[in-house]
Amino acid sequence: MQRENWASRLGFMLAAMGSAVGLGNIWRFSYVAGESGGGAFLILYIISVLVIGIPLLLVEVSIGRKAQQDVVGSYKKLVPNKPWFMVGYLGVLGTMLILSFYSVVAGWSLYYLWGYITGAMVPMPENGYGAAFDSFITQDYAPIFWHGLFLALTMLIVLVGIKNGIELANKILMPVLALLMIGLAVYSVTLPGAGEGLAFLFQPDWSVLKDPSVYFSAMGQAFFSLSLGIGTMLTYGSYLSKSQKLPGPVVGIGVLDTLFAIISGVVIFPAVFAFNIDPSSGPTLVFITLPEIFHQMSFGHVIAIIFFTALSFATISSSISLLEVPVAYLMRAAKLSRPLASFLVSIVIFILGVTVSLGMGKWSGITPIGDRNILDSMDYIASNIFMPVGGLTMALLMGWYWNKSEALSSTDLSEKKIGDVWYLLIKFSAPILILIIFLNQIGNV
Ligand code: PHE
Ligand code: NA
């Protein structure tokens, strides 16, 4: 069977941006930054994006374009008869783990969207938005319904193929989301007490740098936000043809994704302090701050509907990229049709997601890793371990397995200076930094 291709380089760029920009920028960024002390974390995160993230993004996409295969198949093809392909399975597993909790959180945001459409979310709940949200996610059935609905939508898109629907929707909704975020940021900055929130985000408290886990979290956030290291960008790259040139779009994706995260920090943290919310309150942070903001605003109800619509689209463009990784793998390895592969993987992810959802409520006592509940544990394994290990492997393949001219030609880096800098980064800096951050963290545990 003929493998599919993007219609154009722009199509690839939109899809890859759609993959990158998602819940990671708004939901995950704000709570990880909140737990890791704010400003100093932001700086480490930006350094990770520049020194490790963007250079590796180029590595990952170009490996896919070169191999024209799914994540396992790419390693098998490029490094025959050696165990490198095992890392491909980390990608298949990692994307499934991420999608399991991603879909649950996306379900929460669909529930909000619905709540604003019906008006149920509009009046301030009796014990405030925090308590109302908490009582929603700790229920047994309702959150699972929204998770299932979101996953079904994701499956339907992947099942059909990628080109038409999602690219167009993103083209319209991503700019809307960007404008709304900027508007909300301006509004949030005018809230009483906003200064404290901005200081938290932009005035680094260097003392948090003594804690090795901050480096680990910053690197994990960079990988998560850029959809890096577990084969998403590789798989998307595999639908590019060699005539579609590389470095440009990759830099655009990295910069845009990071801007989205910073802007969402500017939305969230002033509100966090204005409404006396604890910045380290974890994964529920944005779901409590945002309704508070909307409640205070005139026309907040309408803005909320537009906002959650745009967020849902940004989210679904990421979730389809996650689902595409195991689906592309199964289509090749098990010779399944696209619909059947999509369906089977979705069932598994649905079940995993049910455990995530129950882990917020009646199974909250289950803490597989440290004191992390099921959601946080899955996130920790995938984002802080699988993704960096995948990224490290890709860097080694590009920097050490191939020679320099092969590396440069596979990425279309013809500009000599930039090519040299990039090569140094992926051959030495990125792998060494990833290793140091790992060892440091292990020493800490
Ligand atoms: N980058 C996406 C986000 O920020 C999440 C994601 C991770 C998507 C890994 C694909 C692969 O929301
Ligand atoms: Na992101």
Side-chain angles (χ1 to χ4, degrees), residues 116-175:
Y116 280 108
I117 290 175
T118 60
M121 282 289 294
V122 177
M124 170 73 85
E126 205 177 316
N127 299 313
Y129 283 105
F133 181 63
D134 206 54
S135 84
F136 167 66
I137 59 169
T138 51
Q139 284 171 44
D140 288 350
Y141 296 110
I144 293 178
F145 165 79
W146 293 101
H147 152 59
L149 180 66
F150 178 81
L151 192 59
L153 290 173
T154 301
M155 182 186 78
L156 282 178
I157 295 168
V158 172
L159 189 147
V160 167
I162 308 156
K163 275 178 201 154
N164 296 326
I166 200 78
E167 281 180 27
L168 186 65
N170 268 303
K171 227 188 238 170
I172 301 164
L173 281 150
M174 294 292 285

Side-chain angles (χ1 to χ4, degrees), residues 398-418:
M398 184 69 82
W400 296 88
Y401 188 80
W402 290 333
N403 62 34
K404 184 170 176 183
S405 70
E406 213 173 344
L408 289 177
S409 77
S410 73
T411 48
D412 310 326
L413 269 169
S414 43
E415 220 270 278
K416 192 160 174 331
K417 272 227 180 67
I418 299 177

Side-chain angles (χ1 to χ4, degrees), residues 17-26 45 102 221-227 257-258 260-261 318:
M17 278 183 180
S19 171
V21 177
L23 289 174
N25 305 63
I26 297 173
Y45 164 67
Y102 206 84
Q221 176 61 23
F223 273 90
F224 187 90
S225 196
L226 294 172
S227 311
D257 183 68
T258 309
F260 254 95
S318 301

